[in-house]
């Protein structure tokens, strides 16, 4: 393991530059000028020197093994800080590897900026086969919130500022900034270059909802007999934790947090309806969505939902309203301004909530929670997801300030359902697209952005997508622990190849793989555990070490079911393909 510490090196003295500088200097300065202190990426022609220049300017550069992971780190950095995470990529495939993460950030409403070097324009436009030639701007356009190309060094500060505004204002998202090789290399007098920088005024303006929309929402909420508040990751992103607490506690309305909104209020809060999801869907007469979309994760507002129920939606993007269900009371604005206005009006209204609604949810939750805890009790060996999670739950709940990263199928669903969260923005997962391969990047981004300890609970398949970037966590000596639930496959390790050619089944990986040895290669503290007690001890020790650690958790190959909790989304299965 290298001796690099976790804090960026601030240059002791101002860097000395020659009288003439390049576009790369302007880019580094422009980023610093708007407050960017960290960049994630992977270098090569034409951006290597730019990364060095950024380091010279005191911008931390976290160099990855794969651009997608650097992008996942930037996205998580953006989600946790409300400032765009920055990803740096080389042209062609480096750009495309990173773009998957920028697209994912856009879908999830995380602010980030992907800056990519690109080749000389003329031979790209004439398709003449230049070095790493790809029309990157046009490839990016359909997948990101905004995309810009900068061709002249004197335009770089404007381009960076526009990218910055686009990433964080309104609905946050991923922005692509294409910087051509000639622009990066263009030479200017430093004195002229230094005149180009400016501070953007109000880059993320408040979006105040109309008074009428607030009044409508408050009247509807006040009229509800069985209201519920549904918190999404937009509410977590907004960093208005006290106002959300005030809304819930002053009205006494039960709340249900989506996966990444867990911890906005503690999962064991008396008004938590986390264990009464079906009741909320089927019986609530008014649901107030705060920073949550009625997308597939909420059955797009159909299915179990009370057909007569009405929705209030606090949302920054007006296009989101009515997208699946008519919204009776849209409040279009930023969550902070909307909550301020709603809280002020709520003081003057009388609620109509039926007290039996809350006591019913509390009674139901009590029974369900007790039943759920029983699942985690058995000390089964070889371990199942549940017996392993019995230990993970105890350790993580004893360390509530650890940020939890989580991906997999059963590993995702069962961890989300088992491990209570107590603090906002302490759970980050594969989110809206349910993609695998956010683990290592997101873990590193969370550790770098916050300086906190991070634990990533990963299915063995999920880990495979990003595993090599565990080495990045080791090189930067971050306080992170990777916990790999190895059941030998996608969903489980008992798939059967229906032919007799001897190949593994499509879902089968390697239940005997020793992932801990991968950690050994990079100098991490590693563990191979086969019992819940060993897992408890290893995870406790790993978190306390504040060093990169990797725990290979041996599960039974038959632990886990096809597609986790969302098997119903599979197309019709006429031939069962697992035993
Ligand atoms: P979840 O998956 O947790 O349900 P989603 O990602 O579906 O959450 O929804 C988040 C919503 O929050 C998005 O529609 C986004 O536009 C919205 N949002 C993000 N930031 C803000 C903000 N500051 N104010 C209002 N809405 C926001
Ligand atoms: C980019 C499809 C969904 S879940 C999953 C895959 C491959 C892995 C599940 O196995 P894992 O967890 O992680 O071992 P467990 O506990 O159930 O065994 N490619 C991408 N994204 C997705 N979602 C897939 C494939 C998938
Ligand atoms: Mg698995």
């Amino acid at each position: 393991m290298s001796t690099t510490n976790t804090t960026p090196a601030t240059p002791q003295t101002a860097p000395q530059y020659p009288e003439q500088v390049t576009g790369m200097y302007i880019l580094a300065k422009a980023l610093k000028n708007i407050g960017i202190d960290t960049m994630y990426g992977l270098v090569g022609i034409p951006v290597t020197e730019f990364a060095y220049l950024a380091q010279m300017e005191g911008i931390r550069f976290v160099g990855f093994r794969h651009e997608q992971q650097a992008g996942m780190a930037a996205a998580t950095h953006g989600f946790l800080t409300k400032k765009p995470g920055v990803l740096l990529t080389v042209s062609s495939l480096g750009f495309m590897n990173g773009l998957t993460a920028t697209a994912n950030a856009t879908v999830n409403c995380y602010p980030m900026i992907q800056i990519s070097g690109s080749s000389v324009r003329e031979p790209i436009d004439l398709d003449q086969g230049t070095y790493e030639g790809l029309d990157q701007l046009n490839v990016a356009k359909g997948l990101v919130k905004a995309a810009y190309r900068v061709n002249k060094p004197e335009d770089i500060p404007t381009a960076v500022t526009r990218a910055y505004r686009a990433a964080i204002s309104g609905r946050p998202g991923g922005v692509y900034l294409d910087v051509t090789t000639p622009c990066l290399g263009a030479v200017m007098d430093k004195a002229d270059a230094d005149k180009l920088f400016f501070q953007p005024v109000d880059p993320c303006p408040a979006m105040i909802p109309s008074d009428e929309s607030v009044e409508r929402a408050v009247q509807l909420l006040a009229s509800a007999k069985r209201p519920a508040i549904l918190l999404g990751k937009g509410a977590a992103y907004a960093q208005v934790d006290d106002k959300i607490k005030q809304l819930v506690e002053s009205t006494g309305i039960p709340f249900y947090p989506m996966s990444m909104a867990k911890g906005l209020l503690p999962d064991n809060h008396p008004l938590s309806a986390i264990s009464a999801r079906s009741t909320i869907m089927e019986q609530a007469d008014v649901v107030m969505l705060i920073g949550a979309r009625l997308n597939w994760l909420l059955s797009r507002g159909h299915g179990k939902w009370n057909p007569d129920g009405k929705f209030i939606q606090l949302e920054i993007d007006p296009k989101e309203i009515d997208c699946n269900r008519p919204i009776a009371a849209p409040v279009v604005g930023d969550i902070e301004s909307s909550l301020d206005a709603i809280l002020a009006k709520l003081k003057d209204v009388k609620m109509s909530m039926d007290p039996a609604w809350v006591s019913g949810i509390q009674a139901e939750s009590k029974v369900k929670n007790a039943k759920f805890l029983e699942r985690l009790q058995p000390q089964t060996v070889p371990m199942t997801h549940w017996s392993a999670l019995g230990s993970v739950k105890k350790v993580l709940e004893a360390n509530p300030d650890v940020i939890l990263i989580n991906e997999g199928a059963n590993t995702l669903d069962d961890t989300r359902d088992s491990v209570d969260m107590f603090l906002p923005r302490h759970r980050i997962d594969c989110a809206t697209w349910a993609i695998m391969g956010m683990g290592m990047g997101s873990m590193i981004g969370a550790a770098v952005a916050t300086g906190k300890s991070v634990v990533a609970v990963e299915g063995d398949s999920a880990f495979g997508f990003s595993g090599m970037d565990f080495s990045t966590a080791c090189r930067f000596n971050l306080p992170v622990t990777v916990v790999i639930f190895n059941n030998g496959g996608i969903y489980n390790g008992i798939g059967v190849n229906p032919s007799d050619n001897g190949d593994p089944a499509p879902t089968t990986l390697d239940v005997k793989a020793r992932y801990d040895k991968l950690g050994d290669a990079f100098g991490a503290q590693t563990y191979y555990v086969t019992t819940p007690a060993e897992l408890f001890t290893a995870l406790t020790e790993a978190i306390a070490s504040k060093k990169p650690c990797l725990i290979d958790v041996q599960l039974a190959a038959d632990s886990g079911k096809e597609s986790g909790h969302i098997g119903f989304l599979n197309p019709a299965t006429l031939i069962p393909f697992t035993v």
Side-chain angles (χ1 to χ4, degrees), residues 459-461 485 487-491:
D460 57 323
S461 165
F485 277 13
N487 60 355
I490 299 173
Y491 314 135

Side-chain angles (χ1 to χ4, degrees), residues 82 107-109 170-172 231-235 237-238 258-261 291-293 295 297-298 314-317 320 333-336 432:
K82 294 184 93 177
V107 165
N108 282 294
C109 316
R171 172 182 276 180
L231 303 168
K233 63 180 172 298
Y237 173 78
M258 298 300 283
S259 177
M260 282 176 56
R293 287 171 284 191
N295 58 14
L297 286 156
L298 288 169
L314 274 57
E315 168 59 54
I316 204 156
D317 184 351
E320 185 62 35
D334 71 88
I335 291 174
E336 181 162 24
T432 304

Side-chain angles (χ1 to χ4, degrees), residues 403-556:
I403 296 178
L404 172 60
I405 308 293
N406 192 198
E407 61 175 337
N410 298 279
T411 303
L412 174 87
D413 294 333
D414 299 348
T415 305
R416 182 191 57 232
D417 292 351
S418 308
V419 179
D420 284 347
M421 305 305 298
F422 300 96
L423 293 170
R425 295 169 296 283
H426 276 59
R427 188 188 149 85
I428 298 159
D429 60 34
C430 41
T432 304
W433 258 352
I435 46 88
M436 299 299 110
M438 45 69 72
M440 295 305 95
S442 204
M443 173 183 83
I444 292 166
V448 169
T450 64
K452 292 184 191 233
S453 293
V454 184
V455 169
V457 179
E458 303 269 310
D460 57 323
S461 165
F463 176 71
F465 287 75
S466 69
M468 192 65 189
D469 264 303
F470 180 65
S471 72
T472 303
C474 294
R475 278 187 301 123
F476 285 80
N477 198 15
L478 298 171
V480 299
T481 300
V482 182
V483 178
I484 301 166
F485 277 13
N486 187 8
N487 60 355
I490 299 173
Y491 314 135
N492 56 44
I494 54 170
V496 177
N497 172 354
S499 85
D500 58 3
N501 72 0
D503 286 343
T507 48
T508 301
L509 297 171
D510 187 351
V511 76
K512 296 206 176 104
R514 289 291 299 266
Y515 293 102
D516 52 316
K517 299 198 174 178
L518 210 109
D520 294 341
F522 302 109
Q525 175 86 17
T526 60
Y527 305 82
Y528 171 70
V529 298
T530 58
T531 67
E534 286 170 6
L535 175 52
F536 178 88
T537 307
L539 186 54
T540 305
E541 195 179 291
I543 292 172
S545 78
K546 298 201 176 292
K547 296 252 178 283
C549 297
L550 189 149
I551 307 174
D552 180 339
V553 183
Q554 183 66 65
L555 300 191

Side-chain angles (χ1 to χ4, degrees), residues 39-42 62-77 85-89 93-102 104 112 114 405 407 435-446 448 456 458 461-473 475 482:
M39 194 156 63
Y40 303 88
L42 203 166
V62 185
F64 275 70
R65 307 299 290 266
H66 193 283
E67 293 87 351
Q68 184 189 63
Q69 292 311 305
M72 295 295 176
T76 294
H77 190 113
V86 177
L87 162 67
L88 178 67
T89 56
L93 202 62
F95 152 78
M96 287 204 287
N97 286 343
L99 189 62
T100 56
T102 312
N104 185 56
M112 71 173 276
Q114 177 177 356
I405 308 293
E407 61 175 337
I435 46 88
M436 299 299 110
M438 45 69 72
M440 295 305 95
S442 204
M443 173 183 83
I444 292 166
V448 169
E458 303 269 310
S461 165
F463 176 71
F465 287 75
S466 69
M468 192 65 189
D469 264 303
F470 180 65
S471 72
T472 303
R475 278 187 301 123
V482 182

Side-chain angles (χ1 to χ4, degrees), residues 17-21 187-193:
Y17 291 104
E19 279 179 18
Q20 288 203 307
V21 292
V187 173
M188 276 182 83
D189 284 347
K190 182 168 179 298
D192 292 336

Side-chain angles (χ1 to χ4, degrees), residues 101-288:
T102 312
N104 185 56
T106 307
V107 165
N108 282 294
C109 316
Y110 305 148
M112 71 173 276
I113 302 173
Q114 177 177 356
I115 300 177
S116 190
S118 65
S119 310
V120 182
R121 286 299 322 153
E122 291 82 348
I124 291 179
D125 292 344
L126 256 179
D127 195 17
Q128 292 173 310
T130 190
Y131 172 74
E132 291 191 350
L134 176 72
D135 190 358
Q136 296 172 189
L137 182 68
N138 283 313
V139 172
K141 267 185 182 160
L143 296 169
V144 297
K145 184 179 173 195
Y148 306 102
R149 176 185 295 132
V150 57
N151 292 291
K152 294 193 299 192
E154 55 270 39
D155 287 340
I156 289 174
T158 302
V160 165
T161 307
R162 295 203 70 193
Y164 181 68
R165 282 185 180 276
I168 57 173
S169 59
R171 172 182 276 180
V175 178
Y176 176 59
L177 180 57
D178 191 270
V179 194
T180 63
T181 299
C183 179
L184 287 166
V187 173
M188 276 182 83
D189 284 347
K190 182 168 179 298
D192 292 336
D194 285 342
K195 288 187 201 131
L196 297 169
F197 306 108
F198 65 98
Q199 282 303 322
V201 176
D202 200 9
C204 182
M207 310 260 293
I208 316 282
S210 73
D211 192 51
E212 200 186 344
S213 70
V214 173
E215 179 65 28
R216 192 186 297 118
V218 166
Q219 291 307 329
L220 182 57
L221 192 66
S223 72
K225 296 269 180 293
R226 296 180 307 281
I229 292 172
L230 201 151
L231 303 168
K233 63 180 172 298
Y237 173 78
Q239 297 194 13
V240 288
D241 313 333
D242 288 348
K243 293 178 205 249
I244 284 168
K245 184 172 151 68
Q246 196 188 333
L247 175 73
V248 169
E249 292 183 350
S250 68
T251 58
I253 297 175
F255 68 94
Y256 179 89
M258 298 300 283
S259 177
M260 282 176 56
K262 273 165 68 91
L264 262 175
L265 288 152
D267 280 342
N268 64 356
H269 190 284
L271 292 170
S272 168
I274 199 162
S275 306
R277 180 181 163 109
S278 295
T279 302
I280 297 280
M281 290 170 87
E282 288 162 10
Q283 295 181 30
D285 57 354
V286 175
V287 175
M288 179 185 248

